[in-house]
Amino acid sequence: MTATPPALDGTCKLLPAPAPGTDVFATVAAEYAALAAEHGPRNVLVLKRHPAGLETLIEALADADLERTDDGPRSPRIESLPEHASKTIEEYDPTLSRLEYEERIELISMVIDGASRSVPAYLERAADHESFARDVGQLLLAATRQRIRLDDLDLPHDCLAFLYAMNDRFHAELDDRGYVERADVIPQAVDLLEANADGLRTRVTASFDAVLAVEFEEYRRLDRRYLAALSGDVDLVCLGERHASVERTRVEPGCVEEAARDAGLEIESLEPVSDCESTDAPPHQPITRFLATGEPPEGNVDTGDGSTVGDPAGRARRIRTETAREQVRAVATEIQSLSDRHGWSADEFAVAVPRIERVPETRRRLRDAGVPTATIGTPSLAEDPAVNELYAVITCQCERERDGDALERFDPAEPSRESRDSSDPRDVSLNRLQARVPDFSTALLAETAGSSVRRSLERWIRRTDLKGRIAREEEWVDAREQYEGMKRVLEIARFVEETDLVGPDWQGLRRMLRRTIRYDAPYVHAVETRPPTGGVTVCAVDDLKYDSRQAVFLLDLIDETYPGEQFLTQLFPSAWLREMPTYPAVTDPSLEEIAETFEPVDATAVGDPFETYHAQRSRRRLALGARAAERALYWCSYERGAGGLQRTYDESRYLKLLESTPGLRIEDVDAAGDAAIHGETNAVEALLNQPRGELERVLREASTGGEADLGETEALFEEIAVVLEEGDVDDELAEAVRSQFEFAAGEVMRDD
């Protein structure tokens, strides 16, 4: 299927390089306004390749509609391409069901368990690794998106042949059951549109006269075929950026201009439209351009002795700390400092991590440092307290279903409990319920149980006031996520009652939920980065491509992350990937492909083509994350252990490259402990550290024969005492400060 090149009839307008986010939005809005003026706003369909950043783009186009008309705002027709393809399939068959994430896990597990094909020895050994299921799942999703089938391949690697065979069986099961997998939505929609099945293409295209394809540099071959099937008889304008493709180049080498030309589009160069509200370009814009294109800044001359003539053309700031924990704390301090100085609200900041799995920990540490965060998503189910409570209920109900009096004989308060295995699921579940639910008893389980597992769980949630407990005990962000976790468990219960994959009882629900928790990945579901309550956005760096914030902090700028050492997947060694042409990604790029994809890379200087290719993709990720900053950009790194007691600043090679490039300047931020204090949490910590620190200073001077100014110490302690006695200080904080004096004086010994 993918061998047929897509044929597009229209224009592709390309920006020369990644521009500031506000300029990109202004440019898209200008192109949309031109099409809307010609065809009418309701007759223009805007398709963005990825859902990330869709809300911001909608706001920009809505503002363009408001400025263009005098009769009030109009809502632009804008969708992500996957969502539009999903609606196209539903238009063809409203009864077709999209397979949910949890349902996919259960069905594909059933297919693998029933496989008659022998499992390769390597996969059997690899299955013991924690990330195995997730890595296999990502590989199969990529193969599905590209419509890779085992029968179409010549001599694939044994491991890939096994996995592709399982994927083919899995999709055969989907067809039999009337399901469609989300990753298969675009391939199936392409088939339906190209065949005009039941007049589908005619019906879908009748509602618009023009298509504006945004983020065209990320449209893959099947995406371009979908666009071709959708836009054959309408006005088509594709808008893309050179040097900005990260996702498409993962699976398809080549520059966006080459992809557009092969598709038959007329190519036009387009200068970005400047945002009328912005008077100055971001100070780091030359850095962004240099990372994306390799073009050095203009207006600076290298003197040959390591210095330059002229002011730096590009400036950014750097935070360096000893540990990853201190890195986040220093970021929190800088956010509070910028907020105090400029009056920026919390939602004007973004903190970007290299992988989505780093979001929960980073967000928690920011909040511990007193910084409100706003990212809403669904973290790993294994870490969700509400999900764990419901899983404990399900485990106990399974035991009751097997033996009605089992839990009464298994009372955690029973004297014989000490002789039992503390890891027994029944013991663990009862202990968890006792700790979380006021006045818990096994009778409560009996009272809430019924013939329907879903209604029984809903009855438990109401009787134990689970939602109310979450609202009272958790921060609003955690509460929102736990509500989503409960919703997912109830959806799984509903699916269990409707499917024949598992029994519609407690045993079937426990099996499916246990498997989902095991294979689940953090934040694989919807993530909302601009909720109405506001807060600092914490997200993966890739999600910033179509976003714009006053200040952006890019975390973990160490070489093992940017570019990293293991590309594409942890499932196979890199040496194997180089010999796997049927892997669903670029594994064996030629020197010419590298040069075309990542101009101005010198093909003659490439050592390892595989590593060079994907390292350049990592460099682009940094560039696109950096361009989201409107006013301030921060590179953040930390020391990394190098064996024994040795530690080293193993900074990213790209950060070192920026430092060594004439015309670019990276200014260090003071992240030391005695730096200026910003934020309530940091102020409290500094106050608690003062008594012990001051007394240790006096003792240190005395032990070395020096003279300590006790008058200064007495004045400090007297000032603290006055604040505690007369100030509006929380009683617990006052007691904590007094305890620090007792610890420092040796009056209290910590029992370790």
Side-chain angles (χ1 to χ4, degrees), residues 5-8 12-15 216-221 224 240-245 248-249 252-268 586 589-599 613 620:
L8 295 171
C12 181
K13 300 183 179 183
L14 297 177
L15 298 173
F216 186 71
E217 70 276 0
E218 299 291 20
Y219 278 60
R220 305 178 184 183
R221 182 177 295 273
R224 298 193 295 271
E241 300 175 88
R242 293 183 173 95
H243 310 287
S245 174
R248 177 185 60 82
T249 52
E252 177 184 299
C255 62
V256 59
E257 192 168 6
E258 180 184 1
R261 186 180 296 110
D262 290 346
L265 292 170
E266 296 182 9
I267 299 174
E268 294 182 11
V586 178
S590 66
L591 297 181
E592 292 75 15
E593 287 174 335
I594 295 175
E596 291 173 357
T597 308
F598 302 105
E599 183 186 1
Y613 184 92
R620 277 190 182 173

Side-chain angles (χ1 to χ4, degrees), residues 20 281-292 313-320 331 334-335 338 341-342 344 348-352 541 544 547-555 557 562 619-637 654-655 658 664-669:
H284 52 273
Q285 185 172 345
I287 294 177
T288 299
R289 191 178 186 92
F290 175 70
L291 283 174
R315 298 183 304 277
R317 308 194 75 186
R318 171 173 56 193
I319 293 176
R320 295 202 300 187
V331 167
E334 191 65 16
I335 289 175
L338 290 171
R341 295 202 308 268
H342 302 292
W344 293 342
E348 292 296 340
F349 297 90
V351 177
V541 66
L544 288 179
D547 210 337
S548 184
R549 306 297 168 108
Q550 293 287 350
V552 171
F553 296 80
L554 301 178
L555 268 56
L557 263 292
Y562 295 102
R619 175 171 166 168
R620 277 190 182 173
R621 293 175 70 212
L622 280 179
L624 295 171
R627 73 103 168 257
E630 296 179 22
R631 298 276 298 279
L633 171 65
Y634 289 81
W635 308 107
C636 308
S637 61
Y654 303 126
L655 193 51
L658 294 176
L664 303 181
R665 176 182 295 176
I666 310 296
E667 302 171 352
D668 286 331
V669 174

